[in-house]
Amino acid sequence: KTLLKLLEEEKESLEKANAKYRIEKKTYNEVKRQLEREIQRIEQEIESHELTLKQITTAICKLRDTTENIQDDLKDISKQIKCIKQKKRKQERSSLREHIKNRSIERDTVKKKNLNEALRVLKKEAIRERALLENKKEKLVQEVRKLKRDQELEEARQA
């Protein structure tokens, strides 16, 4: 009886161990599948990150190129601005010279007008003076004639 009992106990023990083994195997397989899924997810994430890194690297290269182009453009613009400023200064100087020349011409014109006006006034004064002198001359001529007549009359009386 004891052998039979021992065998039954051994059988129960084996069945319990077998059941425990199945449960552990199920758990193991489940954990294994979860781990495989997690590994797959992580690998996809890594691939995604690698793609993102490639995109970032490409974007950085493009930014460098763009930055260099912008710097070149800025240098060109700076040169153009210098040229424009120089042209503007030259234009201002030229304009100032022209203005000074025009002012000089205006002054000369004003002087000429003033001189012409002064000449007109002097001519009028000269004409008046001449008329006065003509009148004085005429009076003196008449007086000389009168004196000559008087002298002739006086000589005639004496003779």
Side-chain angles (χ1 to χ4, degrees):
K1 280 185 179 173
T2 47
L3 188 60
L4 192 61
K5 206 173 189 184
L6 276 173
L7 281 174
E8 273 183 32
E9 283 175 4
E10 186 64 30
K11 183 181 173 188
E12 282 176 21
S13 171
L14 283 173
E15 284 175 357
K16 281 182 185 177
N18 195 12
K20 191 177 176 185
Y21 170 77
R22 279 191 213 120
I23 291 172
E24 284 178 1
K25 187 176 180 184
K26 267 187 186 176
T27 305
Y28 168 78
N29 284 336
E30 200 176 295
V31 167
K32 184 180 172 184
R33 269 181 288 196
Q34 283 178 346
L35 285 174
E36 284 172 350
R37 274 188 247 126
E38 187 66 20
I39 288 170
Q40 233 180 354
R41 186 188 64 77
I42 289 172
E43 284 174 347
Q44 286 175 345
E45 231 177 88
I46 288 172
E47 285 176 18
S48 170
H49 285 307
E50 284 175 353
L51 278 174
T52 305
L53 280 174
K54 284 180 184 174
Q55 290 170 341
I56 289 172
T57 305
T58 305
I60 287 172
C61 289
K62 285 182 181 177
L63 277 174
R64 272 193 209 125
D65 291 346
T66 304
T67 303
E68 289 172 1
N69 289 340
I70 289 173
Q71 286 174 343
D72 291 345
D73 290 348
L74 285 175
K75 286 178 185 175
D76 290 345
I77 289 170
S78 177
K79 286 177 185 175
Q80 289 174 355
I81 288 173
K82 276 184 178 178
C83 284
I84 289 170
K85 284 182 179 179
Q86 285 176 344
K87 285 180 183 177
K88 187 176 178 184
R89 277 191 232 114
K90 281 182 181 178
Q91 240 178 359
E92 286 174 350
R93 281 192 223 116
S94 174
S95 176
L96 186 59
R97 278 191 213 107
E98 188 68 27
H99 178 71
I100 289 170
K101 183 180 170 187
N102 289 341
R103 291 285 295 157
S104 175
I105 290 171
E106 285 176 17
R107 275 193 232 108
D108 289 350
T109 304
V110 168
K111 283 180 185 176
K112 188 176 176 184
K113 284 180 182 176
N114 289 342
L115 288 173
N116 285 338
E117 185 62 30
L119 188 62
R120 238 180 272 123
V121 168
L122 286 174
K123 281 182 181 178
K124 284 181 184 177
E125 287 179 13
I127 290 171
R128 264 191 248 119
E129 286 289 322
R130 190 172 185 187
L132 287 175
L133 288 174
E134 288 288 329
N135 284 342
K136 282 184 181 177
K137 179 182 167 187
E138 193 60 38
K139 285 180 183 175
L140 287 174
V141 166
Q142 287 175 2
E143 206 173 304
V144 165
R145 284 183 189 152
K146 185 180 173 188
L147 286 174
K148 277 187 181 177
R149 262 188 269 134
D150 286 348
Q151 189 179 11
E152 285 176 3
L153 287 174
E154 188 63 40
E155 283 178 5
R157 261 196 241 151
Q158 284 180 0

